[in-house]
Amino acid sequence: MKKNLLAIAIALPLSLFAADMDANGIVTKQSSTDVKTTIDRIEMMVKKKGLTLFNRINHKENAKNANGPDLNDAELIIFGNPKAGLKLMTKDPKAGLDLPLKMLAYKAKDGNVYLSYRDVKFYEKIYNLEGCKVQNKMSKMLDIFSERATLSPEAFEVLSQKNKEAAKAVEAAH
């Protein structure tokens, strides 16, 4: 078991920044947990990073409250850093159509849970962002968030433990 967790911890950094986007700039990753846990993890990372959490929308619950059709679990989280978003919007105000950032976790018809978001690097194809580089940092952040949020409970625990140990080491060094 310990060997497996070590292999996961070693493989994780290799998988970071390896997101493949579709023709519309959408990245989709299969989650190893349910919709709520996936979005809970993103919310935790958003808060830990000091980003603004604008909203969390439960589409299944909203459909139920509207007496609509029964939907599979689906939650959208909306968050961002207004200063970073402003850098994009000063280049092209239309970038505000895709800001703040959004990530959607949903249970698909195949029974699996997926996490999808539009990669900020794609904005270069639809907005005039010449000379602006903040979208690369934002893209990396979304990739890290999505990789961590979709980990199995065991791998997530190993990563959390490593982060706690690293924080303690930094604190002890000061």
Side-chain angles (χ1 to χ4, degrees), residues 6-44:
L6 182 59
I8 291 168
I10 290 169
L12 178 64
L14 299 175
S15 66
L16 294 178
F17 315 120
D20 290 324
M21 68 174 100
D22 69 12
N24 297 310
I26 305 296
V27 174
T28 300
K29 298 178 183 179
Q30 187 171 340
S31 183
S32 298
T33 64
D34 60 29
V35 168
K36 182 181 180 329
T37 301
T38 302
I39 294 295
D40 284 348
R41 289 174 176 181
I42 294 169
E43 183 174 337
M44 179 188 67

Side-chain angles (χ1 to χ4, degrees), residues 85-125:
L86 283 172
K87 289 179 182 178
L88 297 175
M89 291 179 63
T90 56
K91 289 287 186 179
D92 188 342
K94 293 184 300 281
L97 289 168
D98 279 299
L99 296 170
L101 302 172
K102 299 161 205 66
M103 297 181 101
L104 174 72
Y106 59 95
K107 186 173 185 177
K109 290 179 182 177
D110 67 7
N112 292 311
V113 172
Y114 296 94
L115 179 66
S116 294
Y117 61 93
R118 185 181 309 275
D119 193 324
V120 186
K121 283 192 256 180
F122 186 77
Y123 294 6
E124 296 170 355
K125 294 182 181 193

Side-chain angles (χ1 to χ4, degrees), residues 34-92:
D34 60 29
V35 168
K36 182 181 180 329
T37 301
T38 302
I39 294 295
D40 284 348
R41 289 174 176 181
I42 294 169
E43 183 174 337
M44 179 188 67
M45 289 181 276
V46 163
K47 289 177 177 177
K48 189 172 183 177
K49 192 146 178 76
L51 302 173
T52 301
L53 176 63
F54 292 102
N55 206 346
R56 186 168 166 171
I57 300 167
N58 186 323
H59 288 305
K60 179 179 179 147
E61 202 59 36
N62 287 342
K64 183 179 174 183
N65 291 339
N67 295 318
D70 190 30
L71 294 178
N72 283 341
D73 285 340
E75 284 195 52
L76 179 75
I77 187 165
I78 304 170
F79 61 94
N81 176 338
K83 287 183 180 181
L86 283 172
K87 289 179 182 178
L88 297 175
M89 291 179 63
T90 56
K91 289 287 186 179
D92 188 342

